[in-house]
Amino acid sequence: MKNTFWIHVVIGVLTIVPLILFNVRRIWVRRPPDPLKFKVGRCIVIGVICVLIGAFLAASYQTAMSTRYEIAIERLARKQAEMLTGQLPAAEFRSFLLENGGEELAASFDRAAEDSAGLRTEGGYDEVRFQFSNWLIPRYWEGKEGFEQVPVLSNENPIYIRYVIDTGETELTYAVRMRFTGERWLYEWIGVPNDTQLKDLKMSPGGKWFAVRA
């Protein structure tokens, strides 16, 4: 999520700053013997262009945050990591689940948490790391034993994915089913993966670990 944010910031800086610097001399004009003149119209036009570029980048950022499955699963894992390091109260994490999946999602997470022996549900860890797998599209899970069968909406919707939480004391893995609504990804189910899911939801070799510190 942070990478996406900074990419858009860099694009904005590389676009807006040169535009302003290029036009500074054209806003203030001196034609001897006339006095220095300030071109209000040109300044307004440049200002409007900068605002439009900023608005476009902000909309692009919000779209990326809502439509990319990688960001959706990272957000879920990060929220849980923040809860485990004490930065996010358990009640707020549950509100996040309800907002992005509903009662069934929260109930499935509760069942998965009961199987997470030795895991403190809120606070107590200095650092929690997480990593997520490649996605599994319907082509690979539809009709396959070990995966709950739900209506397929498209070639890439819904998907299964898993993430690993490492507290330093224990390592836990969760399988997640996500559905894209046309505007954002919703989490439909979270659970402890069975053997089939562990086999098919492959972690990327040398994949990136994200860290959340207390």
Side-chain angles (χ1 to χ4, degrees):
M1 293 188 293
K2 291 182 179 179
N3 289 342
T4 303
F5 171 78
W6 285 113
I7 287 172
H8 282 78
V9 169
V10 170
I11 292 174
V13 170
L14 294 178
T15 305
I16 295 174
V17 172
L19 178 65
I20 294 174
L21 294 177
F22 179 78
N23 284 278
V24 166
R25 290 186 177 182
R26 290 163 177 78
I27 293 174
W28 294 92
V29 180
R30 180 188 292 276
R31 293 180 179 175
D34 295 336
L36 187 67
K37 291 184 179 180
F38 178 70
K39 291 189 174 182
V40 178
R42 191 181 188 95
C43 182
I44 292 174
V45 170
I46 299 304
V48 169
I49 292 174
C50 290
V51 170
L52 290 176
I53 292 173
F56 171 78
L57 290 173
S60 175
Y61 172 72
Q62 291 299 326
T63 299
M65 292 293 289
S66 301
T67 59
R68 288 178 54 190
Y69 80 89
E70 305 99 317
I71 292 178
I73 194 64
E74 180 186 342
R75 182 185 292 118
L76 172 60
R78 185 175 296 277
K79 289 287 187 181
Q80 186 177 357
E82 290 175 352
M83 179 182 67
L84 295 172
T85 55
Q87 300 178 53
L88 184 72
E92 288 190 24
F93 178 69
R94 189 171 187 81
S95 295
F96 170 80
L97 296 178
L98 293 173
E99 180 182 350
N100 292 278
E103 290 285 354
E104 291 185 8
L105 173 74
S108 67
F109 180 81
D110 290 342
R111 289 192 294 270
E114 290 177 1
D115 295 332
S116 303
L119 180 69
R120 289 178 288 235
T121 57
E122 183 176 357
Y125 297 103
D126 295 328
E127 179 182 88
V128 173
R129 301 191 307 154
F130 64 89
Q131 184 185 49
F132 50 86
S133 72
N134 298 317
W135 68 345
L136 199 68
I137 59 177
R139 175 183 175 183
Y140 299 104
W141 62 258
E142 188 178 14
K144 190 169 187 177
E145 187 177 353
F147 290 90
E148 182 182 355
Q149 300 302 307
V150 294
V152 173
L153 304 178
S154 74
N155 292 334
E156 298 181 349
N157 189 21
I159 65 170
Y160 280 90
I161 194 168
R162 73 176 168 116
Y163 67 94
V164 176
I165 290 281
D166 181 5
T167 68
E169 298 177 5
T170 185
E171 186 174 284
L172 301 164
T173 184
Y174 298 89
V176 184
R177 186 176 67 250
M178 301 195 303
R179 173 173 53 87
F180 188 61
T181 65
E183 297 179 351
R184 61 173 180 153
W185 286 97
L186 289 179
Y187 314 109
E188 288 190 320
W189 167 83
I190 304 175
V192 176
N194 55 43
D195 291 341
T196 301
Q197 292 168 348
L198 286 173
K199 179 181 177 181
D200 291 352
L201 296 171
K202 295 179 171 58
M203 307 300 291
S204 299
K208 180 180 179 181
W209 283 93
F210 299 86
V212 175
R213 297 176 177 84

